[in-house]
Amino acid sequence: MNNPMAVSQNARQRRLLLQATGTLGGVGLVGTMVPFVASMAPSEAARSRGAPVEVNLDTATLGSLVTIAWRGKPVWILHRTSDMLDRLGRHDRLLADPLSKEAQQPAYARNATRSLRPDFFVAIGLCTHLGCVPTYRPDAGAADLGDDWPGGFFCPCHGSKFDLAGRVFRAVPAPLNLEIPPYEYQGETRLVVGQDRSGSA
Ligand code: FES
């Protein structure tokens, strides 16, 4: 016979995971993605006021994209593979702002990978055209996106394209790279979205 306390605990954990990964329907959760657990340390009320969100990266699968909610916006966390990182360096000529000169990121993400750590890409998952949620399209050379498609994010609303560092392609409606929120790491596997050591938040 089931232990009622254990059942209740399991149900609570399932609810938290769904809140962390399932409330932003349609955001690019694809392939063999195994959602890693976003531990929603702040209360629901605190989160809605914009409190930082802690994410445990322990079980993050290479190539997987997970979405959490921060300040009512989807925030993507992409665990990039070494192949994805290699591809980033090969298509600057196709990009509108390859060096991230526009102020779309904290200073610590103004680099070749637009991130604190190359292996994890953290970005607000809203197109800089009209704010739709792009889809995750890591499939380089996809037939519908062209031979020179290096993998990235595609916004079906009006056709904007972003690479796997959120850099916008030329000649699309979106004017800017995807926005990078403030974030920091507390140890190897704990990511905190919404705060950083510079005091941004
Ligand atoms: S909202 Fe993304 S292309 Fe228009």
mmCIF file of all heavy atoms in Angstrom, residues 126-134 154-162 172-174, ligand 1:
data_model
loop_
_atom_site.group_PDB
_atom_site.id
_atom_site.type_symbol
_atom_site.label_atom_id
_atom_site.label_comp_id
_atom_site.label_asym_id
_atom_site.label_seq_id
_atom_site.Cartn_x
_atom_site.Cartn_y
_atom_site.Cartn_z
ATOM 1 N N LEU A 126 12.258 35.677 -26.492
ATOM 2 C CA LEU A 126 11.264 36.500 -27.186
ATOM 3 C C LEU A 126 11.931 37.186 -28.360
ATOM 4 O O LEU A 126 12.977 37.836 -28.211
ATOM 5 C CB LEU A 126 10.682 37.557 -26.242
ATOM 6 C CG LEU A 126 9.883 37.030 -25.051
ATOM 7 C CD1 LEU A 126 9.482 38.185 -24.124
ATOM 8 C CD2 LEU A 126 8.633 36.282 -25.523
ATOM 9 N N CYS A 127 11.331 37.055 -29.515
ATOM 10 C CA CYS A 127 11.859 37.665 -30.734
ATOM 11 C C CYS A 127 11.910 39.182 -30.559
ATOM 12 O O CYS A 127 10.988 39.800 -30.009
ATOM 13 C CB CYS A 127 10.959 37.294 -31.905
ATOM 14 S SG CYS A 127 11.502 37.971 -33.478
ATOM 15 N N THR A 128 12.984 39.785 -31.047
ATOM 16 C CA THR A 128 13.142 41.234 -30.901
ATOM 17 C C THR A 128 12.370 42.011 -31.970
ATOM 18 O O THR A 128 12.477 43.229 -32.029
ATOM 19 C CB THR A 128 14.633 41.629 -30.930
ATOM 20 O OG1 THR A 128 15.224 41.130 -32.137
ATOM 21 C CG2 THR A 128 15.367 41.052 -29.727
ATOM 22 N N HIS A 129 11.583 41.305 -32.774
ATOM 23 C CA HIS A 129 10.696 42.009 -33.700
ATOM 24 C C HIS A 129 9.431 42.421 -32.957
ATOM 25 O O HIS A 129 9.297 43.543 -32.506
ATOM 26 C CB HIS A 129 10.392 41.114 -34.911
ATOM 27 C CG HIS A 129 9.487 41.739 -35.919
ATOM 28 N ND1 HIS A 129 8.494 41.028 -36.563
ATOM 29 C CD2 HIS A 129 9.395 43.019 -36.379
ATOM 30 C CE1 HIS A 129 7.852 41.843 -37.386
ATOM 31 N NE2 HIS A 129 8.379 43.054 -37.295
ATOM 32 N N LEU A 130 8.519 41.488 -32.756
ATOM 33 C CA LEU A 130 7.262 41.818 -32.075
ATOM 34 C C LEU A 130 7.015 40.957 -30.844
ATOM 35 O O LEU A 130 5.904 40.933 -30.319
ATOM 36 C CB LEU A 130 6.092 41.673 -33.055
ATOM 37 C CG LEU A 130 6.103 42.645 -34.242
ATOM 38 C CD1 LEU A 130 4.944 42.344 -35.183
ATOM 39 C CD2 LEU A 130 6.030 44.095 -33.765
ATOM 40 N N GLY A 131 8.025 40.237 -30.414
ATOM 41 C CA GLY A 131 7.916 39.529 -29.144
ATOM 42 C C GLY A 131 7.315 38.141 -29.211
ATOM 43 O O GLY A 131 6.920 37.595 -28.169
ATOM 44 N N CYS A 132 7.253 37.550 -30.395
ATOM 45 C CA CYS A 132 6.801 36.148 -30.468
ATOM 46 C C CYS A 132 7.900 35.236 -29.910
ATOM 47 O O CYS A 132 9.028 35.657 -29.726
ATOM 48 C CB CYS A 132 6.492 35.756 -31.907
ATOM 49 S SG CYS A 132 5.090 36.670 -32.595
ATOM 50 N N VAL A 133 7.532 33.994 -29.661
ATOM 51 C CA VAL A 133 8.496 33.028 -29.137
ATOM 52 C C VAL A 133 9.044 32.194 -30.297
ATOM 53 O O VAL A 133 8.311 31.411 -30.903
ATOM 54 C CB VAL A 133 7.836 32.100 -28.100
ATOM 55 C CG1 VAL A 133 8.837 31.064 -27.599
ATOM 56 C CG2 VAL A 133 7.303 32.923 -26.933
ATOM 57 N N PRO A 134 10.308 32.360 -30.624
ATOM 58 C CA PRO A 134 10.892 31.547 -31.712
ATOM 59 C C PRO A 134 10.930 30.063 -31.345
ATOM 60 O O PRO A 134 10.874 29.698 -30.170
ATOM 61 C CB PRO A 134 12.310 32.126 -31.853
ATOM 62 C CG PRO A 134 12.246 33.500 -31.259
ATOM 63 C CD PRO A 134 11.255 33.375 -30.123
ATOM 64 N N PHE A 154 14.211 29.971 -34.881
ATOM 65 C CA PHE A 154 13.466 30.519 -36.017
ATOM 66 C C PHE A 154 12.120 31.015 -35.523
ATOM 67 O O PHE A 154 11.392 30.311 -34.818
ATOM 68 C CB PHE A 154 13.260 29.429 -37.077
ATOM 69 C CG PHE A 154 12.404 29.871 -38.220
ATOM 70 C CD1 PHE A 154 12.824 30.889 -39.068
ATOM 71 C CD2 PHE A 154 11.165 29.292 -38.436
ATOM 72 C CE1 PHE A 154 12.016 31.320 -40.121
ATOM 73 C CE2 PHE A 154 10.354 29.712 -39.482
ATOM 74 C CZ PHE A 154 10.783 30.730 -40.324
ATOM 75 N N CYS A 155 11.802 32.239 -35.888
ATOM 76 C CA CYS A 155 10.529 32.819 -35.474
ATOM 77 C C CYS A 155 9.557 32.733 -36.646
ATOM 78 O O CYS A 155 9.704 33.461 -37.634
ATOM 79 C CB CYS A 155 10.732 34.281 -35.064
ATOM 80 S SG CYS A 155 9.261 34.982 -34.306
ATOM 81 N N PRO A 156 8.585 31.830 -36.559
ATOM 82 C CA PRO A 156 7.696 31.618 -37.705
ATOM 83 C C PRO A 156 6.736 32.778 -37.954
ATOM 84 O O PRO A 156 6.144 32.862 -39.036
ATOM 85 C CB PRO A 156 6.938 30.333 -37.346
ATOM 86 C CG PRO A 156 7.111 30.139 -35.894
ATOM 87 C CD PRO A 156 8.296 30.932 -35.439
ATOM 88 N N CYS A 157 6.574 33.669 -36.993
ATOM 89 C CA CYS A 157 5.624 34.781 -37.177
ATOM 90 C C CYS A 157 5.957 35.570 -38.429
ATOM 91 O O CYS A 157 5.111 35.783 -39.291
ATOM 92 C CB CYS A 157 5.657 35.717 -35.977
ATOM 93 S SG CYS A 157 5.516 34.904 -34.402
ATOM 94 N N HIS A 158 7.202 36.018 -38.517
ATOM 95 C CA HIS A 158 7.606 36.838 -39.662
ATOM 96 C C HIS A 158 8.961 36.431 -40.206
ATOM 97 O O HIS A 158 9.590 37.178 -40.939
ATOM 98 C CB HIS A 158 7.621 38.315 -39.279
ATOM 99 C CG HIS A 158 6.357 38.789 -38.628
ATOM 100 N ND1 HIS A 158 6.199 38.806 -37.253
ATOM 101 C CD2 HIS A 158 5.201 39.225 -39.163
ATOM 102 C CE1 HIS A 158 4.985 39.242 -36.969
ATOM 103 N NE2 HIS A 158 4.349 39.497 -38.096
ATOM 104 N N GLY A 159 9.448 35.283 -39.787
ATOM 105 C CA GLY A 159 10.646 34.719 -40.421
ATOM 106 C C GLY A 159 11.993 35.176 -39.885
ATOM 107 O O GLY A 159 13.005 35.017 -40.562
ATOM 108 N N SER A 160 12.042 35.721 -38.692
ATOM 109 C CA SER A 160 13.352 36.108 -38.160
ATOM 110 C C SER A 160 14.155 34.878 -37.737
ATOM 111 O O SER A 160 13.593 33.863 -37.316
ATOM 112 C CB SER A 160 13.192 37.058 -36.967
ATOM 113 O OG SER A 160 12.732 38.315 -37.405
ATOM 114 N N LYS A 161 15.472 35.013 -37.859
ATOM 115 C CA LYS A 161 16.361 33.893 -37.528
ATOM 116 C C LYS A 161 17.456 34.369 -36.574
ATOM 117 O O LYS A 161 17.986 35.473 -36.721
ATOM 118 C CB LYS A 161 17.033 33.352 -38.791
ATOM 119 C CG LYS A 161 16.083 32.807 -39.836
ATOM 120 C CD LYS A 161 16.876 32.399 -41.076
ATOM 121 C CE LYS A 161 15.973 31.948 -42.199
ATOM 122 N NZ LYS A 161 16.741 31.655 -43.437
ATOM 123 N N PHE A 162 17.801 33.490 -35.654
ATOM 124 C CA PHE A 162 18.859 33.771 -34.677
ATOM 125 C C PHE A 162 19.740 32.526 -34.589
ATOM 126 O O PHE A 162 19.235 31.400 -34.691
ATOM 127 C CB PHE A 162 18.261 34.054 -33.300
ATOM 128 C CG PHE A 162 17.240 35.173 -33.287
ATOM 129 C CD1 PHE A 162 15.899 34.906 -33.598
ATOM 130 C CD2 PHE A 162 17.605 36.471 -32.990
ATOM 131 C CE1 PHE A 162 14.949 35.922 -33.591
ATOM 132 C CE2 PHE A 162 16.665 37.495 -32.984
ATOM 133 C CZ PHE A 162 15.328 37.224 -33.284
ATOM 134 N N VAL A 172 16.228 40.167 -41.896
ATOM 135 C CA VAL A 172 15.005 39.613 -41.294
ATOM 136 C C VAL A 172 14.338 40.761 -40.530
ATOM 137 O O VAL A 172 14.985 41.793 -40.260
ATOM 138 C CB VAL A 172 15.304 38.429 -40.342
ATOM 139 C CG1 VAL A 172 15.999 37.294 -41.088
ATOM 140 C CG2 VAL A 172 16.129 38.872 -39.140
ATOM 141 N N PRO A 173 13.082 40.620 -40.151
ATOM 142 C CA PRO A 173 12.410 41.735 -39.468
ATOM 143 C C PRO A 173 12.995 42.093 -38.101
ATOM 144 O O PRO A 173 12.972 43.251 -37.700
ATOM 145 C CB PRO A 173 10.966 41.245 -39.317
ATOM 146 C CG PRO A 173 10.815 40.156 -40.313
ATOM 147 C CD PRO A 173 12.154 39.522 -40.458
ATOM 148 N N ALA A 174 13.489 41.116 -37.364
ATOM 149 C CA ALA A 174 14.007 41.413 -36.020
ATOM 150 C C ALA A 174 15.245 42.301 -36.124
ATOM 151 O O ALA A 174 16.171 41.996 -36.878
ATOM 152 C CB ALA A 174 14.339 40.121 -35.284
HETATM 153 S S1 FES B 1 7.855 38.458 -33.991
HETATM 154 FE FE1 FES B 1 9.513 37.255 -34.650
HETATM 155 S S2 FES B 1 9.731 37.731 -36.705
HETATM 156 FE FE2 FES B 1 8.102 38.978 -36.059
#
